[in-house]
Amino acid sequence: MGGQSTSTQTVQSQSAPWAAAQPALQTMLSQISSGLNNTGLTSAETSALDTLKNNAAAGNPFAGQIANYAQSLLNGGGANAQASNVQDNLSTYRNWLTPYANGSMVGNTPALMAQLAQIRSDVGDSVNSQFAAAGRDFSGANLMAYGRGVAAAEAPVIAAQYNQDVANQLAAAGALYNAGNTTANTLTQMQQSDLANRGQGITAAQSALDAQNYGANATLAAEAQRRGIPVQALGLLAQIGVPIAQLGQQGNSTTTGTQQKSGVEQFASIANGISGLVNAYKSK
C-alpha cells in the first residue's frame, strides 16, 4: 500500500543588474532629490514674468492709433478727397476750349481783326496817295483800286487764319475728349483706391482688436509660463528618475510538490508518530 506526501517551499529571488552602477545611480538620485526643491521659479524668472505682467497691464500704447488708422481705411482713406478738384479742373478746361471746339472762334480772332484793319489802312494810304497825287482821289478808279488792293492783301491772311482756326478747333475737340477720358480714369483709380483702402481697413480692424486684447493675452501668456516652468522642471526630473527606479527587480515564488511513498515508508512514519505520542504521555 502506497501513500502521498505534499511539501511547500517558498523561494525569494532578487535581480540587480544595476548593482555595479549603484554608486553613480545613487549620486544621480541624490541630485534628483535635491532638484525637487528647485522646481519653483527663480528670482530672475519671477522678475521677468512680473515685468511682462506690468507691461501687459499697461496695454498696447499704439492701440488707439491703430484703431484710428483702421477707421480711416474703412472710410476709404481719403482716396476720393480730390475727386471734386479733378472734376472742377475738367470743367474749367472745357470752358476754355469749348469756343474753339464748337467753331465759334473760327474767323473771330481779335488779333485777326486788328491785322485786317492794319492792312486796310496801309493799302488805303498807298492807293489814295497815288490817286491824290494824280488829282483823281475819291474817283471811281480810286475806290476800285482800293478795294482790289485790300482784297488782295487780306485774302491770304484770312485763309491762313481760317485754316489755323479749323486746326485749333479739331485740336480743342481732341483735347476735350482726352481730358474727359483722363478725368474718368483718374476718378476710377480713386474709387479703386477707396475700395482697396476699405479692404485694408478690415485687416487693420483686426489688428486694432488684437491691440485692444494685447494686455489680456500677454497676461495669460505670462501666467502660463509661471505655471508651466515648475511643471516642466518636474517633468525633466521624472524622465530621469522613473527609468532609474525601474532598473531593479525583486520577487517571491512558492513551489508546491507531491511525493509518492511506499508502504514501508508509511509504516515507519506511523511508528514514529506512535512513539512520539507514548514518550509524551510518559513524560507527564
Side-chain angles (χ1 to χ4, degrees):
M1 176 178 179
Q4 292 180 343
S5 65
T6 302
S7 63
T8 301
Q9 182 180 12
T10 300
V11 178
Q12 186 177 24
S13 62
Q14 180 176 358
S15 65
W18 49 283
Q22 265 189 332
L25 293 174
Q26 290 294 340
T27 301
M28 293 176 63
L29 291 173
S30 175
Q31 292 177 351
I32 292 173
S33 297
S34 62
L36 291 173
N37 298 323
N38 296 321
T39 57
L41 296 173
T42 65
S43 59
E45 290 170 336
T46 300
S47 176
L49 290 173
D50 289 340
T51 298
L52 291 175
K53 186 174 181 180
N54 292 334
N55 291 340
N60 190 327
F62 306 105
Q65 292 156 294
I66 295 174
N68 291 336
Y69 172 69
Q71 186 63 51
S72 175
L73 289 176
L74 288 172
N75 290 331
N80 288 319
Q82 298 298 321
S84 60
N85 291 335
V86 173
Q87 291 172 330
D88 289 343
N89 290 339
L90 175 62
S91 297
T92 301
Y93 188 68
R94 182 182 291 117
N95 291 335
W96 287 346
L97 289 184
T98 295
Y100 296 92
N102 63 18
S104 61
M105 293 301 293
V106 176
N108 188 27
T109 305
L112 174 63
M113 299 297 103
Q115 186 176 7
L116 295 178
Q118 185 64 46
I119 291 174
R120 286 192 294 271
S121 176
D122 292 344
V123 171
D125 291 343
S126 176
V127 172
N128 291 336
S129 63
Q130 292 177 11
F131 276 91
R136 299 175 60 194
D137 53 334
F138 301 111
S139 63
N142 183 182
L143 295 176
M144 183 181 295
Y146 172 76
R148 288 179 177 177
V150 169
E154 289 185 342
V157 174
I158 293 174
Q161 187 61 52
Y162 174 82
N163 292 333
Q164 182 62 51
D165 289 345
V166 171
N168 290 343
Q169 179 184 8
L170 294 175
L176 287 175
Y177 177 79
N178 292 332
N181 289 339
T182 299
T183 301
N185 290 334
T186 300
L187 293 175
T188 299
Q189 291 174 1
M190 288 181 173
Q191 186 61 40
Q192 292 300 319
S193 297
D194 181 271
L195 294 175
N197 287 343
R198 293 176 189 273
Q200 293 178 5
I202 297 175
T203 302
Q206 182 60 49
S207 298
L209 182 61
D210 293 341
Q212 288 180 341
N213 294 332
Y214 164 81
N217 288 331
T219 298
L220 291 175
E223 292 304 307
Q225 292 187 59
R226 196 186 300 276
R227 292 174 181 271
I229 291 175
V231 174
Q232 291 175 0
L234 287 173
L236 292 174
L237 292 172
Q239 290 178 11
I240 300 174
V242 172
I244 294 175
Q246 294 175 345
L247 290 177
Q249 295 181 358
Q250 182 173 346
N252 297 322
S253 62
T254 301
T255 303
T256 301
T258 302
Q259 183 178 7
Q260 184 71 34
K261 293 184 177 181
S262 64
V264 175
E265 289 174 334
Q266 293 185 41
F267 179 76
S269 297
I270 294 172
N272 288 334
I274 294 174
S275 175
L277 291 175
V278 172
N279 290 333
Y281 178 77
K282 289 181 177 181
S283 63
K284 290 183 177 180

